Amino acid sequence: MRLLRARPPVLVAGVALTLFGVLAVLLARHGWRPYPAEAALHAWVLDLRPGLAVRIAGAVTDLGTGVPPYAAAVTAGLLLARDPAPVGRRLARACAPVLVLALGQLLRRALVEAFARPRPPMSDWVRASPGGYAFPSGHAFTAALAAALLGWAVVQTVRRRRATAAALALMALAAAVGLTRIYFGVHWPLDVAGGWLLAIGWFALAVPFLRRVRQH
């Protein structure tokens, strides 16, 4: 029990990455084709895309790529760097979340190329014009990881009630980003689930590093 209390991030990482690996194996054995439930959900959302909803979802999905995720990581670093410390240590705290996000992106892109799962048919896409393969979803992974980094920094540096509310809001927003990728028809549902699992596992692995940078 003492070990369980001492190393929860490692356990979370192990569970999340194991589930990600199982998911990848199941998809590979299925020829990377969509499972019937995925195809059914994909077909269902095609009829639920009125113009206003698409515009709102478009504003949400844009949070999962480009500047917003790195802005969240930079904000996390600035929050961690507020505590009094020598300049070098504060600089390390400021850079650590950005480094975690950047390395995570490299890992995710390598996996995407290795798995090479095809996307849904281009005729089903709306608003988005993504490139590359489908699994795991880049928007889902990036938004979840950026939200986790910022939420963790908020919890470490802000009063508990406000921090908890802010962290929950960030997680809900990251989940919404992933769901928009299914809504736009550019990802199968398990692509998004894979992105979330990989983000959870990678963030959990990074927590001991973030703690060490903050404390030392």
Side-chain angles (χ1 to χ4, degrees), residues 27-209:
L27 289 172
R29 294 186 64 180
H30 196 62
W32 298 107
R33 301 185 307 274
Y35 279 91
E38 289 187 283
L41 181 57
H42 175 80
W44 178 67
V45 301
L46 297 183
D47 297 326
L48 299 174
R49 301 192 294 199
L52 178 59
V54 169
R55 288 194 293 271
I56 294 173
V60 174
T61 204
D62 288 343
L63 298 175
T65 189
V67 174
Y70 282 94
V74 168
T75 303
L78 293 176
L79 287 173
L80 296 174
R82 291 193 310 174
D83 295 340
V87 174
R89 188 175 301 171
R90 296 178 71 177
L91 182 60
R93 293 174 183 172
C95 294
V98 179
L99 178 63
V100 171
L101 179 58
L103 292 177
Q105 290 284 41
L106 292 176
L107 171 64
R108 196 269 311 170
R109 290 174 181 172
L111 291 173
V112 164
E113 293 298 322
F115 296 145
R117 189 189 195 194
R119 291 181 181 271
M122 190 179 298
S123 58
D124 294 341
W125 300 358
V126 63
R127 190 186 183 278
S129 298
Y133 297 108
F135 179 84
S137 166
H139 279 69
F141 170 83
T142 306
L145 180 56
L149 289 167
L150 181 54
W152 185 83
V154 168
V155 168
Q156 300 298 311
T157 58
V158 179
R159 291 181 180 178
R160 178 169 297 180
R161 289 184 180 179
R162 294 180 180 177
T164 301
L168 290 175
L170 287 167
M171 292 297 103
L173 187 58
V177 170
L179 293 176
T180 62
R181 308 310 289 172
I182 302 172
Y183 187 65
F184 286 152
V186 297
H187 276 291
W188 303 110
L190 291 182
D191 300 336
V192 173
W196 288 337
L197 287 172
L198 184 62
I200 292 170
W202 182 251
F203 171 73
L205 286 178
V207 166
F209 163 71

